[in-house]
Amino acid sequence: MIEIPDNSAEHLALLDETAASIKEAFGDIPEILVVAGSGLGAFGERLENAKAVSYDKLKNFPVSTVVGHAGKLMRGTAGGRDIMVMSGRKHLYEGVDVRVATLPLQAMLRAGVKTVILSNAAGSLNVKFAVGDLMLITDHINNMFKNPLIGPNLDDMGPRFPDMSEPYNRELQKVARETALDLGILLREGVYWGNLGPSYETQAEVQMLRQFADAVGMSTVPECIAATHAGARVLGISVLTNSLVLKTDAETTHEEVMETGRQVSDKFCNLVSTIISKL
Ligand code: HPA
């Protein structure tokens, strides 16, 4: 596994080396990047004219330790636009340095990405939300006790103390709301709480978190910080795969879960590609 040098010039050189390997594989990089979260790989599979390169073929990309989840970087058309998709991401609970986890995203930003659509699977903390709902992330709380900007600042990327008063771009949120309305897709909104994981929340933690947030997950926050630092626009969408606050006695079968996953995936892909068509 790569190590982040304790020197900003060398760190930047590592990002540029990674960006060069991305460009070598894909040519000039389009401005829109979608990070497809857990279970949302279908988004990449639906790209038209797709080209995919597995992370282990790209320089400095950390490869997931989870078998079958190596991850791949893709380029193709969605919503009529040429975009990049990162299918699979490194999670901090895998034990990786936060700066290694965000290195591929930062390299994509170096390579020319200006708009980042972050998606994730999350647990609902809001009693009004149902399993399978989509949630527009309006803000987040970083409880991961990790920040990708620690260490010497990369002045070429952004400022030492970046403003985080609008981590999720308001204009993009507006486009997402309008698109959902047009498509008849219910789009919830709320605050995403980032936990390190990998253990799920205890009952006491759920009771605490629900005071402050609407969904909880184990990703997105570091990427949002890194993208905001670099001046990129960020849109965040959570798929609420489970509810931590609604109890149901109904039996859940594997088939039902798979079917719900497929339905949510359709809805998610449709929403995101239509948003992209309007950017
Ligand atoms: N908690 C934390 N992360 C998650 C959850 C959850 O309930 N569901 C999906 N990711």
Side-chain angles (χ1 to χ4, degrees), residues 126 129 134-138 173 177 187-191 214:
N126 189 319
F129 298 174
L134 302 182
M135 189 189 89
L136 176 69
I137 305 176
T138 54
Q173 288 186 48
R177 277 185 202 105
L187 183 61
R188 305 292 195 177
E189 306 196 1
V191 173
D214 300 282

Side-chain angles (χ1 to χ4, degrees), residues 2 19 41 84 111 127 130 182 186 194 212 220 244 257 264 268 271 275:
I2 40 157
M84 299 298 293
V127 287
D182 284 353
L186 175 64
F212 304 106
T220 301
L244 296 160
V257 171
V264 175
F268 171 82
L271 178 66
I275 290 170

Side-chain angles (χ1 to χ4, degrees), residues 231-245:
R233 301 191 300 172
V234 179
L235 177 71
I237 297 177
S238 291
V239 173
L240 305 176
T241 52
N242 55 294
S243 175
L244 296 160
V245 287

Side-chain angles (χ1 to χ4, degrees), residues 121-124 192 195 199-201 216-218 239 241-244:
S124 169
Y192 176 93
N195 264 354
S199 48
Y200 288 120
E201 293 67 35
V216 53
M218 304 171 191
V239 173
T241 52
N242 55 294
S243 175
L244 296 160

Side-chain angles (χ1 to χ4, degrees), residues 139-158:
D139 208 340
H140 74 220
I141 294 173
N142 182 6
N143 191 55
M144 298 174 115
F145 297 97
K146 308 274 173 176
N147 193 306
L149 308 181
I150 52 167
N153 184 52
L154 303 178
D155 294 332
D156 255 33
M157 294 285 283

